[in-house]
Amino acid sequence: MTFTAAATATVAHATTTVAAEHHGFLSPTGVEIAFLLVGLLTFGAAVVTVTTKQLVHAALWLVVALGGLAVEYLLLTAEFIAWVQVLIYVGSVVVLLLFGLMLTRAPIGRSPDADSGNRWAALTVAVASAGALVWVVVDAFRTTWVDLNGAAAGSTEVTGASLFQNWVLPFEALSVLLLAALVGAIVLSRKAKAAAAGTTTAPQVPGSRDGKRATEDKEGVR
Amino acid sequence: MHLAYPAVLAALLFCTGLYGVLARRNAILVLMSVELMLNAVNLNLVAFDVWLSRAARDTLHSGQALTLFTIAIAAAEIGIGLAIVLAVYRNGGTSDIDKLRDTAEGHGPDDPDSDAPAAEKAEATA
């Protein structure tokens, strides 16, 4: 184990020094420029996501941030991760979030109380941790280059092979976890629906329809 | 590509998400910020996996496998989290996490004065 780690470190060090010899600090490549531009877009969208006063706009800016991250994965030659990111995050997670905003009757326009009172404490913590993290990361990886030439490091073939050769057991455990999460979400929603139907007294048409559906569901369970 | 580019971007995104988690008041916006933090970690995992898959031999593409697992767990988390937020909204009529003080000490749930000291407390901690 330690031998492997040592060999890994040696090889990494050798590659790093080799890479450092034909890279310059102030001569960015095209990929780096593209990464920087898309990264600026992503970071800006993320900042707007956490600062905008309009809740639906926050979800839509989150789409921009997550899509920008998918482009960053493509630039890092991790194609499969990029498309999974597009499918799951942009396709389903943001839609789920929008549904959540809709179901909790979030205001459509500007809501002045979107930020809580401890905004300045949060800003202090975030800026301090950003400064510390960026300083540490830049200091640690000053002389490290990623070699993006050659075959893609994360094509579907490579990722699938490694996933189903070396990571089968975690993969299967993850499917069980997803099933548990699905069942848990259904259980949480059903309990809330039954309780809401039990306490609903307003004779509104949607309310009565919900109550009817809830009783039908209960009978279905029995 | 210099490894500092993805690492710095991931650090900045993580801190943006951290600010959102601490500063936002709507529970769904907090969930969005948690997604941003998870994505920052994913970017780190992919970047370091791409670096190490060239620099070392036997990495088993563990970074990308872990990224896929993180994405799946994030999807499960957002489903459960939204179910909890919707249940809380149906019970309490709000998704404002500053008002969810049922488990706070010292104030009963039906205490009419519970709002004002709570707001003062929030201001004091800010």
Side-chain angles (χ1 to χ4, degrees):
Chain A
M1 193 63 197
T2 50
F3 172 73
T4 318
T8 306
T10 320
V11 174
H13 183 67
T15 317
T16 303
T17 46
V18 166
E21 277 169 6
H22 57 86
H23 284 95
F25 272 118
L26 295 177
S27 64
T29 59
V31 176
E32 282 176 341
I33 292 173
F35 194 95
L36 193 64
L37 290 178
V38 180
L40 281 177
L41 175 72
T42 307
F43 180 58
V47 167
V48 176
T49 301
V50 297
T51 54
T52 180
K53 299 271 185 216
Q54 310 198 22
L55 305 184
V56 181
H57 286 197
L60 296 178
W61 279 106
L62 190 65
V63 172
V64 178
L66 299 178
L69 269 174
V71 177
E72 304 283 43
Y73 293 152
L74 277 181
L75 288 175
L76 284 168
T77 69
E79 303 163 20
F80 186 68
I81 304 284
W83 298 125
V84 165
Q85 168 96 3
V86 169
L87 281 177
I88 292 187
Y89 272 112
V90 183
S92 73
V93 165
V94 174
V95 172
L96 265 180
L97 286 169
L98 281 172
F99 264 106
L101 282 176
M102 193 182 75
L103 289 175
T104 57
R105 300 209 174 80
I108 295 295
R110 300 171 66 83
S111 53
D113 58 345
D115 288 338
S116 73
N118 51 8
R119 188 193 324 162
W120 296 109
L123 192 63
T124 310
V125 169
V127 169
S129 55
L133 277 176
V134 168
W135 177 48
V136 167
V137 156
V138 168
D139 194 42
F141 301 110
R142 213 172 19 197
T143 57
T144 309
W145 273 269
V146 183
D147 186 14
L148 291 178
N149 300 319
S155 64
T156 310
E157 187 183 353
V158 173
T159 311
S162 89
L163 200 61
F164 286 103
Q165 278 174 0
N166 307 310
W167 302 98
V168 176
L169 187 61
F171 188 81
E172 299 297 331
L174 191 68
S175 66
V176 177
L177 184 140
L178 271 180
L179 179 69
L182 186 71
V183 173
I186 292 174
V187 165
L188 279 173
S189 318
R190 280 182 71 90
K191 262 187 197 164
K193 196 182 286 178
T199 57
T200 299
T201 54
Q204 290 171 352
V205 178
S208 61
R209 210 168 57 197
D210 278 346
K212 234 182 265 172
R213 200 182 299 145
T215 51
E216 278 169 14
D217 284 350
K218 272 185 212 158
E219 286 170 39
V221 165
R222 280 170 202 154
Chain B
M1 186 193 296
H2 204 301
L3 189 59
Y5 287 99
V8 167
L9 178 63
L12 289 177
L13 278 180
F14 184 86
C15 293
T16 312
L18 183 66
Y19 168 78
V21 167
L22 292 177
R24 286 303 207 176
R25 189 172 276 185
N26 193 318
I28 296 178
L29 291 178
V30 173
L31 281 178
M32 286 185 206
S33 307
V34 171
E35 292 300 313
L36 273 180
M37 293 168 82
L38 283 169
N39 270 286
V41 176
N42 282 346
L43 180 61
N44 253 340
L45 285 172
V46 169
F48 281 87
D49 180 75
V50 171
W51 168 47
L52 283 178
S53 70
R54 300 301 166 91
R57 268 176 307 161
D58 297 328
T59 62
L60 304 180
H61 281 287
S62 47
Q64 297 193 32
L66 194 55
T67 305
L68 285 174
F69 295 163
T70 314
I71 289 176
I73 290 176
E77 172 253 333
I78 206 81
I80 294 287
L82 275 179
I84 292 174
V85 168
L86 287 182
V88 165
Y89 178 77
R90 281 178 186 153
N91 281 329
T94 181
S95 57
D96 187 345
I97 50 178
D98 281 354
K99 289 182 185 153
L100 301 178
R101 309 188 71 84
D102 291 345
T103 56
E105 239 177 294
H107 304 293
D110 298 328
D111 193 357
D113 296 334
S114 64
D115 268 359
E120 280 169 17
K121 201 170 163 189
E123 290 295 324
T125 51

